[in-house]
Amino acid sequence: MAATLPVLQLATMSVEAVRTAVIDAGGTGPLTAAPLEPERLAASFGSDRLFRDDGEPAEGFAPLSGFFEAGDGWVRTHANYPHHAQRLAALLDLADPDRATLAAALGRRSAADLEDAAARRGAVLVRVRDETEWRTSEPGRAADSGPLIRMQVREQARPLALPGGPLPLTGVRVLDLTRVLAGPVATRTLALLGADVLRIDPPALPEITWQHLDTGQGKRSALLDLRADLRAGQRLLDDADVLVTGYRPSALESLGLQRPEGLVHARISAWGDGGPWALRRGFDSLVQAASGIAMIESADGAAPGRLPAQALDHASGYLLAAGVVDALAARARDGHAREVSVALARTATWLLDAPGRAPDHPAAATPGSTVRHGARVTAAPALPGVDDYPEPAHDWGSDAPAWLDQPNG
């Protein structure tokens, strides 16, 4: 993971957080004792470069996603999902633009104006900043406060027994309402530890196929419109031990779902719960751009660059998984429910603060350490002592929206 910033250190820290949490939860076996393997860490964090399905690689970013020059600086867009591409086009009064048309329209506008207008219209775009500007800004200061993993103790609940051993989350039910990378990485990790993970997606918003197959190992995937069938969604939630969401604050309540007593609610966000950007949409690539990471990784000091992996997503996913394991172990001890949250921008600040920058680093190389299931090749697990996931990802939406017949505490 060749980069100016110490990305391997970030990866190591986040995966070690999972191992520490597993040990605290009574876990045993190779995961708790085997050494971390830098090659496998690099492979897992750079899994998009290793993914193959019947020989076909991952599609990468869509044409309207990326860095563009505005009239007075750079902006970073994210338009991999069709609805985000449509909002970006509408923001600029364009009809089905190609990349060149989009670039011309962005070049006529101020970067700051574009960022503010995108936030109002639900498009996903940020202005590229340097590190100093980000750290002194109000959203940057908000991202620099508090722990990497936030935990809030909630109400008293019935005890939840954990079995310990090599699969310490056996019998734990995890309802996964996340997309893209950080949330799915977290729930994939919980599945690797023995949890029954059920991912629910709305039928009207299909997931990017390769992305789902690359992060869905060990989980089941079902379709359910929570707005149209609130009762079914509430039943699943009532029987869950853990809920993992990638929604912005209050979005769960806006669906009409009620958090049952005792639930561990784990949340991943781009910008965190505090500060002026708490309600804004964001992805790893946008956090890199806004926080100064893109300019630190610039090849020439003028045009923004990027980390060799979506490292903020992957690291935040492992941190969230560690927080969930910690919350479950704590509930087993004291019977209290907990809320756990992680933010990509807070993870970015950790990386910016970490010592060991290497401006003269070598070029990034494609990592190895893959596993194969039929015609599908994915990166091996980052967790030490684990050779493969319990099963490959199921096709998107191919499972029933129901729990497996197993105990949950």
Side-chain angles (χ1 to χ4, degrees):
M1 286 188 283
T4 296
L5 292 167
V7 179
L8 183 59
Q9 186 179 339
L10 174 66
T12 301
M13 177 275 296
S14 62
V15 174
E16 279 288 9
V18 176
R19 190 215 301 263
T20 300
V22 168
I23 293 172
D24 186 53
T28 60
L31 170 59
T32 64
L36 289 179
E37 299 178 33
E39 182 182 351
R40 283 178 53 173
L41 286 173
S44 181
F45 274 60
S47 61
D48 56 316
R49 290 182 286 159
L50 297 173
F51 178 85
R52 296 292 184 276
D53 193 26
D54 202 18
E56 292 296 317
E59 297 170 0
F61 284 101
L64 301 188
S65 296
F67 291 108
F68 294 88
E69 286 191 83
D72 56 356
W74 290 87
V75 296
R76 180 63 163 88
T77 65
H78 193 289
N80 285 9
Y81 288 105
H83 61 291
H84 288 153
Q86 292 162 7
R87 291 173 188 168
L88 182 61
L91 174 70
L92 300 165
D93 294 320
L94 300 174
D96 195 24
D98 59 16
R99 189 174 178 88
T101 303
L102 180 72
L106 291 170
R108 292 190 290 268
R109 301 274 296 272
S110 155
D113 289 346
L114 285 166
E115 181 178 75
D116 291 340
R120 291 192 300 269
R121 299 285 293 271
V124 190
L125 176 154
V126 298
R127 179 169 63 89
V128 176
R129 293 160 170 78
D130 64 27
E131 180 181 2
T132 299
E133 183 181 4
W134 172 250
R135 286 183 180 276
T136 56
S137 69
E138 196 171 349
R141 290 194 297 270
D144 194 23
S145 62
L148 276 172
I149 306 171
R150 295 175 183 265
M151 191 172 297
Q152 178 183 359
V153 179
R154 301 186 69 102
E155 72 279 354
Q156 186 82 27
R158 61 181 173 81
L160 175 70
L162 296 178
L167 296 175
L169 299 191
T170 298
V172 172
R173 290 173 173 169
V174 178
L175 188 62
D176 179 2
L177 303 183
T178 67
R179 323 193 97 202
V180 196
L181 288 181
V185 165
T187 54
R188 180 182 66 184
T189 304
L190 300 177
L192 192 60
L193 298 176
D196 172 17
V197 179
L198 176 63
R199 172 170 164 168
I200 296 292
D201 282 287
L205 290 177
E207 180 60 289
I208 297 169
T209 300
W210 79 264
Q211 206 160 254
H212 170 71
L213 296 176
D214 192 44
T215 59
Q217 297 96 323
K219 298 182 274 187
R220 292 176 297 123
S221 171
L223 302 182
L224 182 66
D225 186 338
L226 294 174
R227 294 187 185 277
D229 198 347
L230 181 61
R231 182 175 298 180
Q234 188 65 54
R235 282 199 301 268
L236 289 173
L237 186 57
D238 288 343
D239 289 333
D241 301 300
V242 179
L243 170 67
V244 185
T245 63
Y247 298 139
R248 287 164 293 153
S250 302
L252 184 68
E253 290 77 9
S254 72
L255 292 172
L257 292 172
Q258 301 297 314
R259 186 181 60 82
E261 185 179 276
L263 186 79
V264 172
H265 184 187
R267 299 182 297 108
I268 186 78
S269 67
W271 310 108
D273 294 339
W277 285 17
L279 297 179
R280 292 194 180 189
R281 294 168 174 83
F283 295 91
D284 180 307
S285 56
L286 273 74
V287 176
Q288 289 190 38
S291 66
I293 290 174
M295 292 311 303
I296 291 171
E297 299 297 338
S298 169
D300 59 6
R306 62 187 182 89
L307 297 173
Q310 300 288 295
L312 305 181
D313 264 332
H314 285 271
S316 297
Y318 289 113
L319 291 170
L320 191 66
V324 168
V325 176
D326 279 337
L328 289 169
R331 180 179 160 186
R333 290 192 295 267
D334 64 20
H336 279 280
R338 282 166 172 81
E339 187 167 297
V340 182
S341 62
V342 169
L344 301 184
R346 181 66 187 88
T347 303
T349 300
W350 187 98
L351 181 60
L352 290 168
D353 288 342
R357 295 189 183 187
D360 299 324
H361 61 84
T366 301
S369 298
T370 60
V371 293
R372 176 183 291 274
H373 293 273
R376 189 179 305 154
V377 176
T378 58
L383 271 64
V386 182
D387 294 330
D388 198 357
Y389 294 98
E391 58 180 331
H394 295 192
D395 290 342
W396 186 75
S398 61
D399 295 293
W403 295 111
L404 294 176
D405 185 19
Q406 57 182 174
N408 67 337

